[in-house]
Structure formats: structure tokens, C-alpha cells
Amino acid sequence: MSGRLSEFMALARYGFLALFAVLLGFTANAFIELGDVQNRIRYRIPENTIWAAAQTEIELARTLAQLAPLAAGNRAGSGPSLPLQFDLLWSRAQLYRSGALAAALQSQPGVKASFDRFQADLTNADTFVKPADAGDREAALRMLELLTPHREAIRELTMTSLNNDRKEREELSRNHDLLQQQLSRFGSAAAILLGFLLLYLLFSERRARSLLNDAKSAQAQMQKAQARSEEQASQMELLARKATTASKAKTEFLAMMSHDIRTPLNAIIGLSEIMNRDETDARKRQYIETILRASDSLLSLINDILDLTRLEAGKLSLSPGEFSPEELVREVMDVTEVLARQNRNAISVEIDPDLPAALIGDRDRIRQVLMNLVGNANKFTVNGRVSIQLRCKRRRTGVVTVRFSVCDNGRGISESLQKRLFQPFEQGEDSRDARGGSTGLGLAISERLVRMMGGSIGLESEPGKGSTFSFELDLAFAEATSAALPNKAKQELNLAGLDLLVVDDTPANLLVAESMLQRLGARTVTAASGEEAVEIAKQRRFDIVVLDVLMPGMDGPTAMACMRDSGMCADAAFVAMTAYSMPKDKARLIQAGFDAYIARPVRMKQLGSALAPLLAQLSGPREQVAPAPEAVVSPDGSIDLELIRSMAEDIGEETFRLLVNQAQVETEQALEKLEVSVSNGDREAVRQSAHKLAGLLGQFGLIDATNAARILEAKATTSALDQTLPDMRDIAIRGLSALRARIDQERVNPHRIAA
Amino acid sequence: MSRFFTAFVALVVSAMPALAEGLPLKVVVAGETRVVSMEELESIGVSGFRTTTTWTDGAQEFTGVLLSDIATANSVSTGTVIVKAINDYQAEIELAEIMSAPVLLATRMNGERMSVRDKGPYWVVYPRDDHPEFADERHNFKWVWQVDSLEFK
């Protein structure tokens, strides 16, 4: 439609232009013609007609005027002589015989005839000029007779010329008017056309302008939209940044919170452990155990949150090492057994015989995942079976794909829940009711940990029939036997004979750390501030200095620097103690010059693993008292559990209890005897008593006490005994009470002596 | 060429003296009138050209003295010259015009002296064929014939 219209418009436009051109041509032609006519009017040749006629008439009149007196017999008047006057007249007549006038006469035969007659009479008259001029009247009369009749004819010629001229003028004028009319008509038409054209152009221009305006406004709108979208994008970016910042803030908040909760928790757990150890009242012990359980669950919650936080921040790093899968599974079983027993589940373990005895991986993380899966299986299965399977799926050179699976025949998991089970804070509908509670983080953490280790957790489940969680990991392995594995627990233990300075501004924490270190056999001195510690270190040498990092006044690193610079502790090993537990914090502290690092809450095991590497560097009696290689040590490091377990099995529980009582009595006696010997200065007696005591204590698996006794024995002949003996005595008594505690905790399951 | 004409004119003048007799040319310079004979006039120098005129049939050969030469001979180079005829007709010519173009005070047409009956003895002739700017009838009034006097002003 619009195409046709525009075609028509184009055609109309061309038509207009053509018409305009034609009219312009006509106008121009008319204009040129008009100019020509005007020229003709302007340059008409007056002398050719009127002028020539009038001049002829004048000359004739003058000639007649000259002749008249001559004919009357008088003298001629003034003016030229007759011959000259006649010549002038003659020359006028001659004008009509040649040139333009002669041509003009051709068209007027009447006039020409009268001129011819005039010429003939002039010729006749010419013969009388000389006589007439000489005074011949007859000649003059004759000339008058010849020339006078032509006055009328010449007069008529003049009038005719005038009339002709007027007619010509009129005609020209008419032509002129016609041309002018034509011109004005064409001009008007052209002007109108031009007007149309201008209107059209104006309209076109306005249309173009409006189109341009439309385009401009469209462009402006587009720009506006673009600006809006850019603004939105930047707002979204801002929101995203805010969200990221918020997420970061959340992470930092959680880390802070964990720190803040861990500090009091440190005191609660540590002191509860000590109280539990020393408490003999069964009811109170029950309360303390409840406190410990609650604290443990709170601690695991904090650890879970911290783990997830680190995982999400990408700050969790793996620390692979060599481990025994068999031992790992056993540990998991041990730990989760309480729950298994509560829900009356039978736990079975199945380990592929092809699986290498030693694998390389992050043992703690794998244990964490397995612990979570087995814990869940026990939690949601009642009167059922839980089985842990380790399958060797593929074995290549140095690498084995291990499939860990945890099977139960419990309530199972609905399909909808399966999909979001690995999301943080997702829980089974009734898991809150389950005993032990749940943070909902366990599976999320496990899933991320497994992913981080290069595997993925799979789940097969059917409600009512049970669930199977499994994950596969590619693990390197070493062709080694489990016996060759270093047992961290064994190395954690003995600080007997070492002097430790413990510095912490929180009295409860100080007490916990001190107690634990003492439990490990160390002789401890405490300081409540960095300044105090530096003062003490000037007077006394210590093997190890344990420093709280954050203290009011002088902080841990500063105190360390001071002690290293001066005093007697320049060679000591420095251990940092802090509730910050991100790997980078550790790295920072090690960089600051600390030899080791203990994360809070301080537990025996951590103390051991932190301090064990230092012991090798320290000289002293430590090397002489290495425990038996096969020993399985209690978490506090003072009792050889394997030994007492086998003793209890061998001699029966009741007898064992009696023996322990007996041992306590004997030990007390031996200690009294030692005191006497020491006060008497009888070194040999001391040596013998100590030897005897070491044997007694060693019999009951009291490792620390035994070591202390051996130290005493070794030192008996050389060193001052006043200080060594009380320490030794404390160690022995503590070891005995710990042993009693273990026996009291003993459960039906012979494998569950230690929790 | 001009020498040939001079010789030719001298021959003709000696042969037909009657024609121009009694009609000497008056030359007025700074109000002072001097009568010049045709011979005197032509002694300034004779020029000539061929041209058509409104009053003749076809082109004619004119010879005579250039008005510019006459002006120069009388030490005039600016102003106007008023050309008068025997019958008192007169026309005024700008000197600038005659100084820039060869305008002739013709004394002969086709080699012959001109009688008064033939617009003689002197006729102002413009070279309208060689100079088309004069081929305009607006210049016709300056073609004064039967010239009686030249008055330089």
C-alpha cells in the first residue's frame, strides 16, 4: 500500500518537475522574444522612414524657399547657395534609392511610384539649377513648377511614415502585451508550480524532520533503556557484591563465633575431663559426663560449621599422609559404638583382603566422612544392621580405587529428600527427634569433602528398607605393613622429665593446659601474662614454652621474641596456643617463629601430636623411656589400654580391679619409702625403690608413672632428688586414679574400654 | 598601402578638382576655427577599410583620414568632438571612442571623391563590419555626412 503510494508520489514528483521545466522553457522563450520586441521598439530606425521623409520635406521646403525670390526676380535669401541646396535635396532623394530605405519602399509600390516621379522631376529640375542661380527667372519658375507639386507627396510620405510607424508601434506594443501576458501566464503557472514544489518540499522536509525527530526520540528512548539496563546491571552487580560481602561477613562471623564459643568450651571440656578423672562420686561423675557429652556435641556443631565455612571459602586444605584403612574403620566403629548399642544395632565390618594395608590420603577427612555416614546409619536404624564395607575396585601401580560404603536396613530416605539431602541444613523430617540431634551439616560437609578428595557420594535408598551411602576415592598406597605405620598416639605421650612454662591470661584455660601437660608428665610452671612469663624465663630454663597467642599487654609472639633474646629460655621450643584454627593462622604463627601450634580446645591428643615432633629435638631422658611399640595408649596418654585390656581379659575383670587396688596401695607404700630414702639422702635406696616402683606401675600400663619412676631411677645417683620425687609421686598417683577411672568406665564390650 | 592611396588621391585630385571645391572643412580647436583643405587634411595620413552601411547596397571601400589622427594632429586626446553637417545636423562623438577604434572621416568611397549628392565631401564612417560593436543602429546617428566642421571640445 505504502509502496504504491510512494511510487505514485515519485511519479507525481517527476510530472511536476517536467511540467515545471516546460513552463520554464516557455517563459524563457517568451522573455527572449519580449526582449527582441523591446529592442525592435527601442532601435526602430526613425531616419529610415519618418526622419528621412521629414528631412526630405525640409530640404524641399528650403529649396522652394530659395527658388521663390529668384522666380520673382529678386536675389536669393540667406542660407546655402541654390546649387548646394539642390545638392542637399538631391542627396535626400538619393537615400530612397539604395540601402534600407530603398528596401522599405519596395513594399510600398504607391510611395515608390511617387518617389520615382519625384526623382524624375528632380532630374529635370537639375538642368535649371545653374541658370536659375545665375538669375534666370524662367529657370527658377520652371524649377518651382517641377518641384512644388511634390510637396504634397513628400508631406504625404511623412504622414504615411508616421502612420506606418504608429501602426508598427501598435503592433509591437500588442505583441509586447501578448508576450507579456504569455510571460505572466507562464510565469504564474511556473510560480504556482514552484509554489507547489516548495510546498511539497516543505511538506517533505517537515515529514523528514518529523521522521528524524521520531528516529531521534527512538534513539533517545533506546539510550534511556540502555542506561536503565546498565543501571539495573550495576545495581545487580552491587547486589551481587553486597551478597558476596554478606556471605563473607557471614563466614567471618561464623569463624569469630566459633572462636568465641571455643574459648569457654575449652574451659568446660578441659575442666570437665579433669573433674571426671578426679571425681569418685558416681552421681557427680554422671553429671560431668552429661556436661562432656553436651560439650562434645556443641564442639562438633562448631567444628561442622567451621568445616563448612572453610569448604565454602575454599580454605580447607587436605593434608594427606599414610594410614591404615583397617585401623581407621576400627576407630570409626569404636567411636560410633555407643550409638549403635543404644539403638541395638549390629555393626559388621567387611574389608577387601586385596586392599593395601597402608594407603595415602587425608585420614582425618576420610574418617570424618565415614564417621558421619556410620553415625547417621546408627542414628536412623533401630534393631537393625549397619555394615561398613571397604572394597578395592581397581588396582593400578601405586593407586587403588577404594569404595567406601555404609549400609543399613533402617527407615530409608524418601526420594524427595534424597535430592536435597546433601544441601547444608537439610535434615530428614524427623531427624530432630533422633537421639544425639543433628546439625544438618554432616552430609553437606561429607559430600564436599569427598568431592574435594576427588570422589562423589552416592546414595541408594528405599523408604522402609534402608540406605546405602558410598563413595569412591583414588588413593595412593605404599607397599608397607601396618606394623611399620607410625602410631601418632604412641608418640604423643611422654613429657616426663621436661620442664614446661605455660602462659595464658585465662585462669581456667591455664589450669586446663597445665593439668593436661602435667598429665603428660611434664613439670609445669604457669604465668598469667606475657610479662610475667618473660620474668620467669630469666630465672629458669624450660624445655618447652606454651604461649597463648592473644593476651592483654604482651602477646604470645612478643613474649616469645623477648624470651629468645635473653634469659634462660633462648633454646626452648615455643608452642603457640590459640582458638584460631584456620590453616593460614597456623602458617602465620609458624612463620612468626613458633615451633608448634595447638588449637583450642586443648585436648590431650592434640597436645601430643603438637609436641611429639618437638620431643625428638630435645635432649634428655626422653629417648630412654619410649613405650612399647605395640602399646595402644589412652587419649590422655597415661595408660597402655592394650595392656590393661589384655590383663583384664587374662585375669578377669574383678581380679583386675582387685589388682589395681592393690597396686595403688603398693605404690603409695613405695612412694612413702622413696620419700624416706630421699630425705635420708640414701641414693642407692632411692634407685632401688624407684626401679621397683617402675616395674609395678609398668605392670598396670601406667606409662607416664613408669617413665617418671625410671627417670627417678636414672637420676637417683646423680641429681638432686628433692624435686624429682614429688613429681614422680604425683604422676604415679594420677596414673593410678586414671586407671581406676578407666576400669569404672569399662563396658560389657571388651573393645570399648576407652571412649 | 597608405602611400599608394596618397599617390592615387593626388592623381585623382589633380584630375577632378571641381568636386570638393568651395567646401573646405572647418576644424575648431579650443574655440579657434581653422579651415582645412582636403589636401591639407589628407596630408595627416590616409587610411581606409571596407564596410557595409545602412544607406548603401552592400559593402563599400572607404578611404580618408582617421578622426583619431585628426585629433592627434591637433593635439587633442580627450573630450568630445561635435561633428556638424552642411544642413546644420550635428552629432557629438566621445573622443575616447574614436581614439580606440579606427573611425574614418572618409573622403572617398570606392576610390572616388564623394559629391554632396553622394553624402560628400566628408562622411564619418564607422568600421561596423570589423567592429561588430558599431553594427548597431544606435550608432547610426553619428554617421554624419556632408560634414562641414569638426569642433573639438
Side-chain angles (χ1 to χ4, degrees):
Chain A
M1 196 54 188
S2 73
R4 266 195 196 173
L5 188 70
S6 71
E7 222 171 276
F8 172 75
M9 287 304 284
L11 216 66
R13 208 152 48 219
Y14 285 128
F16 260 128
L17 278 172
L19 206 60
F20 183 66
V22 168
L23 276 172
L24 208 64
F26 273 125
T27 310
N29 186 49
F31 189 76
I32 290 164
E33 265 186 61
L34 192 68
D36 190 40
V37 167
Q38 276 174 336
N39 268 338
R40 267 159 63 195
I41 293 168
R42 198 176 299 147
Y43 308 124
R44 266 176 337 103
I45 319 142
E47 64 179 296
N48 276 3
T49 51
I50 312 165
W51 177 258
Q55 289 298 312
T56 310
E57 199 182 339
I58 287 167
E59 295 303 341
L60 179 60
R62 283 176 176 170
T63 306
L64 292 175
Q66 288 279 14
L67 284 169
L70 290 171
N74 299 329
R75 284 202 48 80
S78 60
S81 62
L82 184 62
L84 184 55
Q85 184 56 55
F86 190 79
D87 280 353
L88 291 173
L89 179 60
W90 184 278
S91 77
R92 286 290 158 197
Q94 283 303 108
L95 289 174
Y96 290 92
R97 304 185 66 172
S98 62
L101 279 175
L105 277 185
Q106 295 297 324
S107 61
Q108 294 171 299
V111 181
K112 194 181 179 298
S114 70
F115 251 99
D116 286 345
R117 279 197 299 279
F118 180 46
Q119 185 61 46
D121 287 338
L122 272 179
T123 310
N124 276 339
D126 190 26
T127 56
F128 302 106
V129 171
K130 273 185 179 171
D133 189 45
D136 183 347
R137 286 180 58 200
E138 284 300 316
L141 271 173
R142 185 76 194 125
M143 277 181 77
L144 277 173
E145 282 169 14
L146 283 170
L147 295 177
T148 305
H150 290 289
R151 277 180 77 166
E152 282 306 307
I154 301 300
R155 175 98 207 130
E156 209 174 315
L157 177 66
T158 307
M159 295 316 293
T160 306
S161 294
L162 268 171
N163 280 337
N164 283 349
D165 183 61
R166 204 188 62 241
K167 275 181 197 161
E168 197 182 355
R169 237 180 242 279
E170 276 171 7
E171 197 192 343
L172 279 170
S173 168
R174 211 170 32 251
N175 280 351
H176 186 254
D177 288 351
L178 267 172
L179 280 167
Q180 226 165 16
Q181 273 175 19
Q182 220 174 15
L183 192 67
S184 81
R185 232 175 277 144
F186 287 150
S188 303
I192 288 165
L193 265 178
L194 197 66
F196 275 127
L197 213 65
L198 279 173
L199 272 175
Y200 174 76
L201 283 174
L202 208 69
F203 173 71
S204 297
E205 202 224 339
R206 278 181 64 173
R207 211 172 51 170
R209 203 182 287 260
S210 88
L211 278 172
L212 193 70
N213 281 343
D214 286 355
K216 269 182 187 165
S217 74
Q219 195 187 3
Q221 273 176 347
M222 243 169 70
Q223 275 170 348
K224 240 185 246 171
Q226 197 182 351
R228 242 196 331 266
S229 76
E230 270 169 15
E231 197 182 332
Q232 278 172 349
S234 74
Q235 270 177 350
M236 275 164 83
E237 207 177 314
L238 196 71
L239 282 174
R241 235 196 332 265
K242 272 184 184 169
T244 312
T245 312
S247 167
K248 252 186 200 164
K250 182 195 80 180
T251 305
E252 276 162 18
F253 169 73
L254 284 171
M256 282 292 293
M257 196 180 74
S258 80
H259 168 247
D260 289 347
I261 292 173
R262 273 181 179 214
T263 306
L265 208 55
N266 180 28
I268 294 168
I269 292 175
L271 287 175
S272 299
E273 279 187 351
I274 291 163
M275 280 166 73
N276 193 26
R277 194 163 305 288
D278 295 341
E279 186 57 60
T280 46
D281 186 324
R283 268 188 69 186
K284 282 185 185 168
R285 288 185 61 140
Q286 210 178 337
Y287 295 151
I288 293 167
E289 275 166 18
T290 308
I291 292 172
L292 274 171
R293 258 203 311 279
S295 304
D296 275 338
S297 120
L298 180 58
L299 188 63
S300 78
L301 168 63
I302 289 165
N303 284 339
D304 279 357
I305 291 172
L306 260 178
D307 277 351
L308 194 70
T309 305
R310 287 182 199 160
L311 276 165
E312 285 188 345
K315 282 178 179 168
L316 195 97
S317 54
L318 295 171
S319 35
E322 211 173 45
F323 70 94
S324 157
E326 200 175 333
E327 197 190 318
L328 173 70
V329 173
R330 209 174 81 191
E331 191 187 330
V332 172
M333 256 180 73
D334 282 353
V335 174
T336 54
E337 196 162 3
V338 182
L339 196 55
R341 222 172 25 249
Q342 279 167 358
N343 285 349
R344 293 174 298 281
N345 291 328
I347 298 188
S348 62
V349 175
E350 210 180 303
I351 296 178
D352 198 326
D354 290 342
L355 198 68
L359 295 170
I360 293 166
D362 192 331
R363 181 187 189 277
D364 288 345
R365 294 304 173 189
I366 297 172
R367 188 186 58 116
Q368 188 178 353
V369 175
L370 274 179
M371 205 85 95
N372 175 247
L373 297 181
V374 175
N376 282 346
N378 276 319
K379 217 181 287 177
F380 299 107
T381 306
V382 179
N383 287 325
R385 290 186 312 276
V386 174
S387 76
I388 306 169
Q389 292 182 339
L390 264 63
R391 292 236 175 283
C392 177
K393 280 199 75 180
R394 273 193 308 279
R395 190 173 172 148
R396 302 176 296 280
T397 323
V399 180
V400 67
T401 303
V402 186
R403 181 186 175 85
F404 300 82
S405 44
V406 176
C407 248
D408 67 63
N409 60 347
R411 68 181 70 166
I413 301 162
S414 70
E415 213 167 304
S416 65
L417 182 58
Q418 282 183 30
K419 286 173 187 164
R420 48 196 171 89
L421 199 59
F422 296 104
Q423 296 299 313
F425 306 105
E426 280 296 343
Q427 301 176 329
E429 288 80 1
D430 47 2
S431 65
R432 283 266 172 229
D433 305 334
R435 287 202 52 189
S438 167
T439 60
L441 292 174
L443 280 174
I445 293 169
S446 295
E447 192 267 338
R448 283 161 174 75
L449 280 175
V450 169
R451 193 139 43 88
M452 199 175 156
M453 289 187 281
S456 67
I457 288 190
L459 165 61
E460 284 171 42
S461 181
E462 209 175 308
K465 290 196 174 172
S467 313
T468 301
F469 285 87
S470 59
F471 60 96
E472 288 177 17
L473 295 175
D474 284 339
L475 297 170
F477 63 93
E479 302 292 351
T481 61
S482 72
L485 284 173
N487 189 328
K488 283 183 185 174
K490 287 172 193 168
Q491 291 183 342
E492 284 166 10
L493 307 176
N494 209 323
L495 300 176
L498 300 178
D499 290 308
L500 270 73
L501 175 60
V502 186
V503 190
D504 199 318
D505 63 302
T506 311
N509 283 353
L510 187 58
L511 183 58
V512 170
E514 185 192 14
S515 302
M516 286 184 176
L517 290 167
Q518 282 178 349
R519 187 79 37 79
L520 289 171
R523 286 187 297 268
T524 59
V525 173
T526 60
S529 70
E531 292 85 349
E532 190 188 342
V534 171
E535 278 307 307
I536 294 170
K538 282 178 184 166
Q539 313 296 324
R540 228 182 119 174
R541 186 194 161 275
F542 291 95
D543 296 302
I544 297 171
V545 180
V546 179
L547 277 162
D548 188 15
V549 174
L550 291 174
M551 288 183 292
M554 188 183 281
D555 66 2
T558 311
M560 174 179 69
C562 288
M563 285 184 240
R564 284 220 161 123
D565 283 351
S566 62
M568 299 180 70
C569 293
D571 300 330
F574 286 84
V575 179
M577 191 160 57
T578 177
Y580 288 117
S581 52
M582 295 285 183
K584 67 167 186 206
D585 296 320
K586 184 175 177 179
R588 189 165 50 79
L589 290 167
I590 298 301
Q591 207 176 351
F594 283 99
D595 298 298
Y597 164 98
I598 300 168
R600 287 210 167 108
V602 181
R603 307 195 86 160
M604 286 294 192
K605 203 170 180 179
Q606 288 173 326
L607 275 180
S609 58
L611 299 180
L614 300 177
L615 297 181
Q617 302 164 18
L618 299 167
S619 58
R622 172 74 190 87
E623 274 136 350
Q624 303 169 14
V625 292
E630 64 278 316
V632 174
V633 183
S634 61
D636 62 4
S638 63
I639 303 166
D640 186 341
L641 296 174
E642 185 60 37
L643 184 63
I644 58 171
R645 190 184 296 148
S646 58
M647 267 177 78
E649 277 177 1
D650 287 345
I651 61 174
E653 238 172 78
E654 282 306 310
T655 315
F656 184 62
R657 281 171 194 266
L658 288 171
L659 276 175
V660 171
N661 288 340
Q662 183 63 34
Q664 192 166 1
V665 173
E666 279 186 24
T667 305
E668 279 163 10
Q669 286 172 351
L671 288 169
E672 277 172 19
K673 202 174 170 184
L674 268 171
E675 256 172 23
V676 172
S677 301
V678 167
S679 57
N680 289 347
D682 188 348
R683 286 179 180 275
E684 182 53 31
V686 171
R687 197 193 65 80
Q688 285 178 358
S689 294
H691 182 79
K692 190 180 176 183
L693 189 56
L696 173 67
L697 295 171
Q699 183 65 47
F700 285 89
L702 298 170
I703 300 159
D704 291 358
T706 308
N707 287 340
R710 280 177 183 158
I711 291 162
L712 184 61
E713 186 188 348
K715 283 184 174 178
T717 49
T718 53
S719 310
L721 301 168
D722 316 83
Q723 285 186 339
T724 317
L725 181 62
D727 289 68
M728 145 81 226
R729 178 189 171 146
D730 287 350
I731 292 164
I733 289 169
R734 258 188 225 115
L736 278 168
S737 66
L739 183 57
R740 290 192 70 89
R742 290 288 155 196
I743 294 165
D744 289 345
Q745 280 181 326
E746 200 184 8
R747 300 286 185 270
V748 183
N749 192 324
H751 293 288
R752 283 291 306 166
I753 288 172
Chain B
M1 195 63 169
S2 62
R3 272 182 198 161
F4 167 77
F5 270 116
T6 313
F8 179 77
V9 166
L11 188 76
V12 169
V13 165
S14 60
M16 302 197 299
L19 279 171
E21 269 174 345
L23 287 173
L25 184 70
K26 300 182 194 81
V27 177
V28 185
V29 179
E32 201 177 308
T33 307
R34 195 162 61 90
V35 179
V36 182
S37 71
M38 195 170 277
E39 287 71 30
E40 270 182 300
L41 183 72
E42 286 183 337
S43 68
I44 294 169
V46 175
S47 303
F49 48 75
R50 194 177 172 80
T51 188
T52 56
T53 77
T54 307
W55 304 273
T56 55
D57 297 323
Q60 315 292 327
E61 182 78 34
F62 291 94
T63 47
V65 183
L66 290 175
L67 283 175
S68 60
D69 287 347
I70 298 169
T72 305
N74 289 284
S75 308
V76 180
S77 60
T78 54
T80 55
V81 57
I82 296 169
V83 185
K84 281 188 180 168
I86 297 163
N87 68 344
D88 295 334
Y89 176 85
Q90 65 177 46
E92 191 171 345
I93 300 172
E94 291 290 326
L95 221 57
E97 188 175 273
I98 57 170
M99 297 305 279
S100 62
V103 182
L104 209 59
L105 186 65
T107 51
R108 290 174 194 272
M109 182 165 71
N110 301 322
E112 284 179 29
R113 297 284 181 193
M114 296 174 286
S115 64
V116 173
R117 294 186 182 191
D118 276 329
K119 308 179 188 66
Y122 303 104
W123 187 7
V124 174
V125 175
Y126 277 79
R128 58 176 279 178
D129 287 1
D130 294 336
H131 294 263
E133 68 263 25
F134 297 122
D136 185 317
E137 303 196 33
R138 276 175 291 179
H139 291 281
N140 276 0
F141 78 97
K142 291 179 283 188
W143 292 57
V144 183
W145 59 70
Q146 298 157 343
V147 174
D148 181 49
S149 70
L150 299 174
E151 186 181 353
F152 288 98
K153 278 193 165 178

